[in-house]
Amino acid sequence: MQYWLLKSEPNAYSIDDLKNDKSTEWGGVRNYQARNTLRDSMEKGDLAFFYHSSTDEPAIVGICEIASDAIADTSALDKQDSHHDPKSSLANPIWYARIVKFKKKFKSPITLTQLPN
């Protein structure tokens, strides 16, 4: 089992959103190295820290589980989505996603200053 860090801005998708939804497609990633990690390195059952970025005090706020194999990122296929990529298709996806499942929200966020150097 490996452990990952999944980053989201809380005003876009927060740990509370994941808790309410129970699971979500972790897509919209448009960085080739991160795409390769989603596609090739993550495995079903791995755990990830859920990290809130772009806040007054960025922090790890919970834990989620990688709940699927790599799938085509549906946001790349949706013409109405800001992450749409006309070169991507179900038959030949360029971008990948994983389903992630809520595990736990921390009572107190773990800020970067609390992490050991």
Side-chain angles (χ1 to χ4, degrees):
M1 176 184 295
Q2 297 188 70
Y3 300 89
W4 306 97
L5 183 73
L6 297 180
K7 176 180 83 89
S8 182
E9 296 176 8
N11 62 346
Y13 195 82
S14 70
I15 190 70
D16 291 325
D17 294 325
L18 181 58
K19 184 177 181 180
N20 289 334
D21 295 343
K22 308 222 182 336
S23 67
T24 193
E25 179 181 315
W26 198 266
V29 175
R30 296 299 180 265
N31 169 287
Y32 284 102
Q33 185 173 356
R35 184 264 331 249
N36 294 347
T37 297
L38 280 166
R39 182 188 66 199
D40 303 331
S41 300
M42 289 181 171
E43 293 186 17
K44 193 173 175 181
D46 286 351
L47 296 178
F49 289 116
F50 196 109
Y51 178 78
H52 279 171
S53 63
S54 298
T55 63
D56 289 339
E57 193 160 22
I60 298 168
V61 294
I63 298 173
C64 56
E65 179 182 344
I66 308 304
S68 76
D69 293 326
I71 56 175
D73 182 342
T74 60
S75 69
L77 308 174
D78 181 355
K79 292 180 182 179
Q80 304 305 313
D81 195 288
S82 63
H83 296 100
H84 177 251
D85 185 342
K87 294 175 277 187
S88 193
S89 68
L90 273 179
N92 187 25
I94 295 170
W95 304 106
Y96 289 83
R98 297 280 180 149
I99 301 300
V100 298
K101 181 172 65 173
F102 176 82
K103 294 297 279 184
K104 178 180 184 175
K105 179 181 176 181
F106 296 152
K107 290 178 185 171
S108 300
I110 301 170
T111 64
L112 296 178
T113 58
Q114 293 174 292
L115 295 174
N117 294 348

